[in-house]
Every structure is written in structure tokens, then in C-alpha cells.
Amino acid sequence: MFSLIQRFIELGEGYGDIFELCELARLNQNRIHRAFIFKSKKDNKENYSIAVALKPINSANFFPIYICREGIPNINPVPQRLSTFQNALKELQVEPVQLEIKHSSTFVDRELFYHYVIGILRLNHLIPPLQ
């Protein structure tokens, strides 16, 4: 019996980071477990985080979740960075799961924030349980 390690790997918030996340998804299309669009609010402003969870390689116990955290404002029309991600997922025939979560600034430290998000994902059976 092994313990599955689920960890967020944070990319940046800029266009280059979004393109990197999209390319990671394309190159690992057969490993995609799920894609996520998280919405959070700080000071009455909503932001999106986008993420892709990949299945472990072979018998490895590492379950990475690549994320661009809170860098996309919720504005109208849809921000280019968000539509770029959505278009890449459409191309890969992956439907993103959309969730509303607390903003990371609510937590004293970023690790606590990621534990909170992993807890939500496990509770909703969106990522595998620890084994």
C-alpha cells in the first residue's frame, strides 16, 4: 500500500504562464485527470485560478496539480487568458470543473490554502482519495 502525494505546482499569472499550462496539458493529454477553473473573491473583486491535475506516471505516487493562481480578473468580456485555457481544453475534449473557493489571502500561508483546496477536491471526489 502506498500513499498518494497530491501537490500543487504553482506557475505564474501572466500570459506566458497560461500558455505553459496549456502546453503542459497538450503534452500530457493522456494523463489529464481533470481541469479546474476556481473563482475566488477579495475586496469585492473576483479572480480566476486555472489548474490541470495529472494522473501519476506508471507506479509513481505523485499526483501533480499545475495551477496559475488568482491572476485572471473576472471581467466582461471573458479575459483572453481564461479563453485561451478554455480553448485549449476544448481542443483536448476536457470539460473543466468550475468551483468557487476562498481567496488564498484568507489563509496565513499558501500551504494552508493548498491543503484547503485539496480537501475540497477530495470531498467532492474530484481527485483520488489518499490510499
Side-chain angles (χ1 to χ4, degrees):
M1 186 75 75
F2 65 92
S3 178
L4 187 63
I5 299 168
Q6 297 162 331
R7 184 174 311 136
F8 277 92
I9 299 172
E10 191 169 308
L11 303 174
E13 304 168 359
Y15 283 105
D17 302 298
I18 305 297
F19 290 125
E20 188 68 25
L21 182 61
C22 293
E23 192 60 22
L24 271 168
R26 284 184 189 99
L27 292 172
N28 292 286
Q29 180 177 6
N30 62 331
R31 290 184 56 211
I32 294 175
H33 176 74
R34 282 208 169 79
F36 302 99
I37 298 174
F38 301 115
K39 188 183 345 179
S40 60
K41 188 184 277 190
K42 179 182 179 188
D43 300 330
N44 291 323
K45 293 180 183 174
E46 291 182 336
N47 293 299
Y48 292 109
S49 299
I50 56 175
V52 175
L54 300 179
K55 298 171 192 165
I57 297 172
N58 299 326
S59 61
N61 64 343
F62 182 62
F63 188 92
I65 306 167
Y66 291 90
I67 187 168
C68 294
R69 182 179 52 89
E70 298 164 349
I72 305 171
N74 182 7
I75 56 173
N76 204 356
V78 174
Q80 181 67 36
R81 288 176 285 174
L82 183 57
S83 64
T84 297
F85 182 65
Q86 290 170 321
N87 290 337
L89 294 179
K90 193 176 292 183
E91 170 190 317
L92 299 169
Q93 299 178 354
V94 173
E95 186 66 35
V97 175
Q98 298 189 35
L99 294 169
E100 195 162 323
I101 60 173
K102 292 180 184 180
H103 195 274
S104 66
S105 64
T106 307
F107 298 85
V108 175
D109 133 319
R110 199 169 298 155
E111 278 303 306
L112 290 175
F113 168 71
Y114 286 130
H115 286 299
Y116 154 76
V117 178
I118 284 175
I120 288 173
L121 296 177
R122 280 189 198 141
L123 264 168
N124 288 288
H125 306 285
L126 297 170
I127 59 174
L130 292 178
Q131 300 173 337

